[in-house]
Each structure stands twice: as C-alpha cells, then as structure tokens.
C-alpha cells in the first residue's frame, strides 16, 4: 500500500467517525477510482431490500403476499419471482422473504429442518433459527428478512437477532413495507377479508414503491379445523341430561 492509499484510508475512517457512517475497513489502493480517490461504501449498513412482502391475519384467515419484481441496480431483470413458500410436514407454515434469494433459500431449508425436528413448534423453531443466524459463522453473513406465519402466529426474523411477533396480525417488510403496513392497518376494521385487505394494501405499495410491481404471489391459510364444534362439544339438552342422569343412577343387575 503506497502513501496515498494510507492517507485515503485514514480520511475514510475519519469521515466515518465524524458522520456516524459505517465505512468498511477494506479501503485499499485497488478501490481507487479513475481520479485516484478511494471508494467509500457509505450507507451499506442501512440496506433496504427492494421488494414488498405483507402478512395479514383476520378472523382466523392468514394471508402472505409478495410482489414478483427483481432489480439489479436501476434495472428490472425479472417480474415473476415467487417470494412466498410453504414449509413444514403439513405445509401449513408460510414464509415470505426480502433480500438475497440464495440466502433466503438457505434460511428456508434450515427453518424447515428445525420445524420437522421439534414436532412442528413454530415459535421454538424461530427462536432456534435466530440464535443460529447470529452465532454460526456460516449463517451470520446471510442478508435477508423473513416473515413466518402459521394459523395462529406471525413472526418477523432478521439477521440482527430480532424475533418480533405481530400484535395485530399484520407484518410488512421490504422497501414498500411501510406503505403496505399503513394501508393494511387502515383497512383492518373494514368489512374486507384478510385477502382483500392484503391485495388492496399491496396495490398501494406497488403504486408508490419503484421496487415493487403488481404481479403478486399469494398464499393463504384457513382457520384451524379443530375450531369447529363437534357433537361432543355441544351442550347437552335437558332431555339428554335427564337420560344421562337416569342411566348413571340405575343400579347394575
């Protein structure tokens, strides 16, 4: 490294301390541009994933919907990517991702292995995944944000060790997540279904966010079947109660 590179690297680090920007340590001569100045990767620590993924739960119905756009820099390279998948032994767990596709698929596989090994306990599986994501050398560099939902709970997982549970059944991630989240909460008290709310909110996000298109992929979960009342769950009528009393009070012969 020559003298100029040392001075440039020192200037980069000084700028980072003054501005509070996380300037990378790897500032060497090979990163100088045509004018001889070193390149500073300013703002890298604040990556915003260019997509929108939304989860809405209402009246027992769970919906996870995502757009299909993929961008590289300022160019759209694909518009029909599937960013929502099903995992689990019963395929009753929905996952949506924002970030690197390869990293997200790696996390999908790890979460599915954990879910299958612990008998389908989603909460425990999410905790184990976040712990591994932070501690394992192979996983800690994966850049993605996940929304994970089943019939009763919704979680947001990040590589920073965050495991958040939704308090109102709504989560949104990605560059258009704020628009979709605000629209969903505004529509939650309306007479619309969870699927209708999700589509309307995603339409708003697609109109506002340049990294989100309207080619949506949606997955839904219906309310748990065991919530329906069966004959044994129904209260007995007075006639049935009287016949049961007489049957128990009759001595055996």
């Amino acid at each position: 490294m020559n003298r100029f590179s040392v001075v440039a690297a020192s200037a980069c680090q000084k700028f980072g301390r003054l501005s509070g920007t996380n300037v990378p340590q790897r500032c060497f001569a090979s990163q100088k541009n045509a004018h001889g100045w070193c390149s500073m990767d300013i703002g890298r620590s604040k990556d915003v994933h260019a997509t929108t993924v939304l989860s809405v739960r209402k009246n027992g119905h769970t919906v996870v919907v995502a757009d299909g756009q993929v961008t590289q820099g300022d160019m759209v390279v694909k518009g029909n990517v599937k960013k929502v998948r099903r995992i689990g032994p019963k395929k009753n767990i929905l996952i949506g991702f924002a970030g690197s596709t390869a990293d997200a698929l790696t996390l999908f596989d790890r979460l599915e292995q954990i879910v299958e090994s612990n008998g389908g306990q989603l909460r425990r599986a999410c905790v184990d995944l976040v712990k591994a994501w932070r501690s394992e050398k192979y996983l800690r560099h994966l850049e993605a944000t996940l929304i994970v939902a089943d019939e009763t709970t919704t979680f947001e997982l990040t590589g920073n060790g965050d495991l958040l549970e939704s308090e109102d059944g709504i989560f949104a991630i990605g560059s258009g997540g704020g628009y979709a989240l605000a629209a969903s909460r505004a529509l939650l008290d309306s007479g619309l279904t969870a699927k209708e709310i999700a589509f309307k909110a995603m339409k708003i996000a697609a109109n506002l966010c340049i990294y989100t298109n309207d080619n949506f992929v949606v997955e839904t979960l219906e309310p748990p079947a065991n919530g329906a009342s069966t004959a044994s769950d129904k209260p007995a009528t007075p006639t049935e109660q009287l016949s049961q009393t007489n049957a128990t009070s009759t001595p055996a012969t």
Side-chain angles (χ1 to χ4, degrees), residues 68-80 210-213:
Q69 180 170 309
V70 174
T71 56
Q72 290 182 351
D74 55 357
M75 180 175 64
V76 177
V77 294
K78 196 170 182 180
N80 61 345
I210 62 175
Y211 299 109
T212 302
N213 66 8

Side-chain angles (χ1 to χ4, degrees), residues 51-56 65 170-187 197-198 200-206 208-209 212:
T51 187
T52 302
V53 183
L54 172 66
S55 175
V56 178
V65 58
I170 301 176
F171 259 137
I173 57 176
S175 55
Y179 309 125
L181 181 65
S184 298
R185 287 181 173 173
L187 296 170
I197 292 173
K200 282 184 174 292
M202 287 293 292
K203 275 286 188 181
I204 294 173
L208 296 175
C209 178
T212 302

Side-chain angles (χ1 to χ4, degrees), residues 142-183:
L142 300 183
E143 297 180 358
T145 303
L146 306 181
I147 285 182
V148 185
D150 61 6
E151 297 92 339
T152 58
T153 53
T154 305
F155 299 100
E156 179 181 345
L157 289 69
T158 72
N160 296 327
D162 299 325
L163 175 58
L164 307 176
E165 182 175 1
S166 174
E167 62 179 359
D168 56 2
I170 301 176
F171 259 137
I173 57 176
S175 55
Y179 309 125
L181 181 65

Side-chain angles (χ1 to χ4, degrees), residues 81-103:
V81 174
K82 186 176 181 180
K83 303 175 185 177
V84 182
R85 298 173 185 267
R86 289 177 177 265
I87 66 168
K90 300 179 181 179
K91 300 301 180 183
N92 63 332
I93 298 176
L94 306 181
I95 301 184
F97 73 90
S100 169
T101 303
D103 293 353

